[in-house]
Amino acid sequence: MNQPLKGVKVIDLTYFVAGPGAGKMLADWGADVIKVEPGCGDPCRKTGATMCMPIEEDCNPLYSTYNANKRGLSVNLKTEEGMAVMDKLLKESNVFLSSYRTGALKRLGLDYESISEKCPHIVWAQINGFGDYGPIKDNAGFDLVAYWARSGAMIDIAEKDTSPINPPIGFGDSVTSCSLAAGICAALYEQQKTGKGQKVMVSLLAQGIWNMGSIFASCQYGDEYPKTRKDAVSPVMNSFRCKDGEWLYISILEHDRYYNTLMGQVLGREDLVDDPRFAKAAEGKKHGRELIRILEEEFAKHTSEEMKEKLKAADIAHEVLQHITDVVNDLQAEANKYIVEIQNRDGSFTKYAQTPVKFNDIEPVVICDAPKVGQDSYEILDELGYSREEIDRMVEKGIVVCKK
């Protein structure tokens, strides 16, 4: 088990998915990530109920997906003693990670300027909805709003003349957390060289725009969105329904090279080999609707398994469109440990998505389940030099929550 961030300490003051996801990745890579929560806990502990999942203390799959492998500290940061605990943590940590809005961080004295003045070595990392500038910088912005709606993705990558996409919870959050984790690692490299920290910023809107980068460029030159699959970017980069009702997607990036192979070897349409209407990319695009109609008719003559065999033999990139429930038991994902079945505290088992980046081997890093609220408070405060009596007093006053 290779953990390149072993020895790095991260203070994780985040909630819901995007921020916690970045912390989870750092934890999987070996960092000691301390999840700091108020006594009521991260509200994501309850979100799984809206997605048909259990939200029990000993079985909370949504929360565990983004918070496993962390330690848990519960402290009231609105008290002077609670902030003293945070100050001690920051002095001996490498990274402060937060998804709180900037205004809230300023009120707590945890904004970049305040922390960097006291702890110039700290890598201060924040994820927010819309960025640090502009007219809506202080707006609430979860992934469905900032990543999907504002970026154009929700309406422009849907099938034309239908309703907008109904995006899954956490999709935009998860990809944004990858960018934030990468930015933190770059800042840690600089910290190692100079001893100095810096500010690392990612927003959900920025990630949405980046993910739509090719479309942002093309739409400035006449490429129109949303599109219909009847008028796809390329007729040979499209989905087609097979005889058994399954949809299959083909992705031919080199139209001129593979067109004759598709028509002759795969579909047996020798009459269309070298057809001047379709054989070259530019002409194929011009006659796209007609070519798509022909491909639809040919795919409908074969089952998806038959088409997969033909396309594989021709070395044409393809895949059957799977449902998420299919992916849960996907043999390719299981072979690479992208999905791993893990036992919850209550003895039940859940298949969990794993951090996508691997180091040297593919074994999943499964150290511990997501911490209960205040699960490791005693241990962490002891490490900071607090006596048992001091900890007990803070617990009694409600400054700290300790799960026994």
Side-chain angles (χ1 to χ4, degrees):
M1 184 186 298
N2 190 359
Q3 295 181 289
L5 292 185
K6 200 165 187 65
V8 171
K9 181 174 282 189
V10 179
I11 306 306
D12 179 343
L13 185 67
T14 64
Y15 61 109
F16 286 117
V17 175
K24 169 65 161 57
M25 297 184 80
L26 300 176
D28 287 353
W29 299 343
D32 176 15
V33 179
I34 298 174
K35 173 87 174 189
V36 179
E37 298 176 89
C40 58
D42 179 341
C44 187
R45 291 180 181 273
K46 304 296 183 183
T47 304
T50 66
M51 302 171 70
C52 305
M53 285 184 276
I55 55 171
E56 306 305 320
E57 192 173 62
D58 291 332
C59 183
N60 196 332
L62 178 64
Y63 191 73
S64 294
T65 295
Y66 303 104
N67 289 282
N69 292 338
K70 302 177 185 180
R71 294 197 288 164
L73 168 67
S74 179
V75 58
N76 185 352
L77 297 178
K78 295 180 179 179
T79 65
E80 187 175 336
E81 287 182 90
M83 280 306 303
V85 171
M86 177 61 80
D87 286 341
K88 286 190 175 186
L89 280 170
L90 290 170
K91 286 175 183 176
E92 55 180 57
S93 298
N94 302 92
V95 179
F96 173 77
L97 167 64
S98 185
S99 55
Y100 282 41
R101 281 189 266 180
T102 301
L105 292 173
K106 285 182 177 179
R107 289 191 292 274
L108 290 169
L110 295 174
D111 55 296
Y112 172 68
E113 289 73 20
S114 298
I115 288 182
S116 62
E117 184 177 343
K118 294 184 289 185
C119 304
H121 70 284
I122 280 282
V123 171
W124 187 96
Q126 182 194 32
I127 195 164
N128 60 27
F130 300 102
D132 290 346
Y133 305 96
I136 62 169
K137 64 182 179 65
D138 296 321
N139 283 17
F142 300 113
D143 71 331
L144 303 181
V145 173
Y147 176 92
W148 283 102
R150 184 82 181 193
S151 74
M154 187 179 288
I155 195 164
D156 273 355
I157 65 175
E159 175 73 10
K160 187 177 182 179
D161 297 327
T162 62
S163 62
I165 283 176
N166 187 13
I169 289 175
F171 185 100
D173 286 326
S174 296
V175 292
T176 309
S177 68
C178 292
S179 290
L180 185 57
I184 289 169
C185 288
L188 283 170
Y189 179 69
E190 180 73 9
Q191 183 190 71
Q192 186 179 46
K193 291 190 297 180
T194 66
K196 295 181 180 179
Q198 58 187 295
K199 186 177 183 180
V200 181
M201 301 163 290
V202 176
S203 77
L204 291 158
L205 176 60
Q207 188 70 48
I209 291 172
W210 172 251
N211 288 359
M212 299 275 284
S214 61
I215 297 174
F216 272 90
S218 70
C219 73
Q220 297 172 63
Y221 295 90
D223 192 17
E224 295 183 2
Y225 285 85
K227 293 185 182 294
T228 167
R229 57 170 298 281
K230 298 288 187 180
D231 187 23
V233 172
S234 164
V236 292
M237 294 174 63
N238 208 346
S239 54
F240 300 96
R241 179 170 274 171
C242 298
K243 184 178 180 179
D244 55 6
E246 296 287 345
W247 285 88
L248 194 149
Y249 194 93
I250 59 171
S251 181
I252 298 178
L253 299 179
E254 298 177 85
H255 183 116
D256 297 6
R257 177 181 176 186
Y258 284 99
Y259 168 80
N260 282 344
T261 301
L262 176 64
M263 286 302 175
Q265 179 181 334
V266 176
L267 299 177
R269 290 296 302 268
E270 298 291 345
D271 59 310
L272 293 175
V273 170
D274 290 325
D275 189 308
R277 296 171 298 168
F278 310 128
K280 299 297 181 183
E283 292 303 309
K285 176 77 170 179
K286 188 183 299 183
H287 299 93
R289 283 184 173 257
E290 186 176 358
L291 180 52
I292 289 171
R293 179 187 60 76
I294 292 170
L295 292 172
E296 285 179 329
E297 292 174 354
E298 295 303 322
F299 272 72
K301 296 175 182 178
H302 306 278
T303 67
S304 56
E305 285 300 319
E306 290 169 346
M307 287 307 305
K308 283 168 63 178
E309 289 181 13
K310 292 173 180 290
L311 291 164
K312 183 177 181 180
D315 198 30
I316 291 176
H318 65 281
E319 192 52 74
V320 171
L321 275 61
Q322 294 197 120
H323 292 283
I324 301 298
T325 49
D326 299 324
V327 182
V328 170
N329 298 304
D330 186 281
L331 296 179
Q332 185 66 23
E334 289 181 347
N336 287 278
K337 304 294 178 67
Y338 299 149
I339 299 172
V340 176
E341 187 172 61
I342 299 172
Q343 188 171 24
N344 302 303
R345 289 192 184 94
D346 66 358
S348 65
F349 287 86
T350 302
K351 289 188 176 182
Y352 286 94
Q354 296 296 292
T355 299
V357 178
K358 309 289 184 181
F359 299 99
N360 292 342
D361 59 47
I362 65 170
E363 289 306 311
V365 180
V366 183
I367 299 172
C368 61
D369 199 350
K372 300 177 183 180
V373 177
Q375 173 182 295
D376 305 294
S377 294
Y378 268 112
E379 177 183 69
I380 293 166
L381 292 172
D382 178 70
E383 292 170 0
L384 291 175
Y386 286 94
S387 68
R388 186 60 180 247
E389 291 73 22
E390 289 175 309
I391 299 171
D392 287 340
R393 182 180 54 78
M394 286 193 286
V395 170
E396 189 175 327
K397 293 175 64 177
I399 297 166
V400 169
V401 172
C402 289
K403 180 68 68 174
K404 296 182 180 179

